[in-house]
Amino acid sequence: MQIKNLIILNKNLPSNEQILVALLLTFVGGFFDAYTFINSKGIFANAQTGNLIFIGLEIAKGDFLASFNYVPPVLFFIMGVIFNEYIVTKYSNLSIARYLNLSLIIQTILLVIVYLVPNIIVFDIRPLIISFVCAMQYDSFRTVNKIPFASIFCTGNLRSASEHLFRYFYKKELASRNKSILYFVIILFFFSGVIVGGIFSNIFGHRAILLTILILLFNLFISTIHDKYIFNKN
């Protein structure tokens, strides 16, 4: 992997492996957590570890009712993974590119629903649907430039970045240098998504979700163009 491939589309890789696509999805992942935390009273969209911690802390305080606020996002995340796996199994004849484009389309439609119908009566459904979307994204996009990554949280990426940093400096493995750089760039984009998500949510409130819809549509556009006209399948 050459460093220049961090900023250009690689014609020898499909769209789901492209760094640009991964970085945009990771930015959205960070944005989601900031958006729901600010707009949905401290609930995370994709950091289900955080939600589980909050559940445990509320139970520890004896406030069982408050703990239930964090349960639905966890359940919807599970449902999102199951739904995504169902699509993969049901339509196994689809190519990876077409399946991932279908996944992006479904995610975008769900986010439009979030924008149009943020609440049902008095119940905030935004963290539920966004958790479902994050699960689909996490289950669909698993590798970038042929290395595993996660677009919705940083723990695994941080571990991998640190591992390759060690391999480069201690074991002199040159391939680990660029892998470490890529992981740290991915983490930076997640962090940037959190910052922008926080700023936009404080300024625009609920309407901030429109930015993620535009980014997913752009990802869908470049993925379609790349796989159809750029990707060298030979």
Side-chain angles (χ1 to χ4, degrees), residues 15-18 21-22 25 80-82 84-86 88 96 99-100 134-152 157 160 183 186:
S15 61
N16 61 292
E17 290 278 350
Q18 295 301 321
V21 171
L25 289 175
V81 173
I82 293 173
N84 205 62
E85 290 298 321
Y86 170 78
V88 173
I96 293 178
Y99 150 68
L100 292 177
C134 289
M136 288 191 65
Q137 186 182 125
Y138 177 56
D139 198 51
S140 298
F141 295 87
R142 303 186 181 192
T143 58
V144 54
N145 229 43
K146 298 184 178 180
I147 62 174
F149 91 111
S151 64
I152 64 170
N157 297 331
S160 297
Y183 277 119
I186 288 172

Side-chain angles (χ1 to χ4, degrees), residues 3-17:
I3 292 180
K4 66 179 182 180
N5 287 336
L6 292 176
I7 57 175
I8 65 173
L9 290 173
N10 188 335
K11 68 178 182 180
N12 296 315
L13 292 175
S15 61
N16 61 292
E17 290 278 350

Side-chain angles (χ1 to χ4, degrees), residues 91-163:
Y91 302 100
S92 57
N93 58 319
L94 285 177
S95 66
I96 293 178
R98 295 184 70 178
Y99 150 68
L100 292 177
N101 284 349
L102 175 62
S103 178
L104 284 174
I105 291 171
I106 294 173
Q107 292 173 45
T108 303
I109 292 173
L110 290 173
L111 291 178
V112 171
I113 293 174
V114 167
Y115 176 72
L116 296 176
V117 191
N119 300 285
I120 295 181
I121 306 178
V122 295
F123 191 71
D124 187 356
I125 66 170
R126 291 173 295 185
L128 311 187
I129 296 180
I130 294 176
S131 291
F132 191 95
V133 168
C134 289
M136 288 191 65
Q137 186 182 125
Y138 177 56
D139 198 51
S140 298
F141 295 87
R142 303 186 181 192
T143 58
V144 54
N145 229 43
K146 298 184 178 180
I147 62 174
F149 91 111
S151 64
I152 64 170
F153 45 75
C154 285
T155 305
N157 297 331
L158 189 58
R159 183 203 64 80
S160 297
S162 304
E163 176 188 348

Side-chain angles (χ1 to χ4, degrees), residues 21-34:
V21 171
L23 293 180
L24 290 175
L25 289 175
T26 305
F27 177 90
V28 167
F31 191 105
F32 281 148
D33 263 339

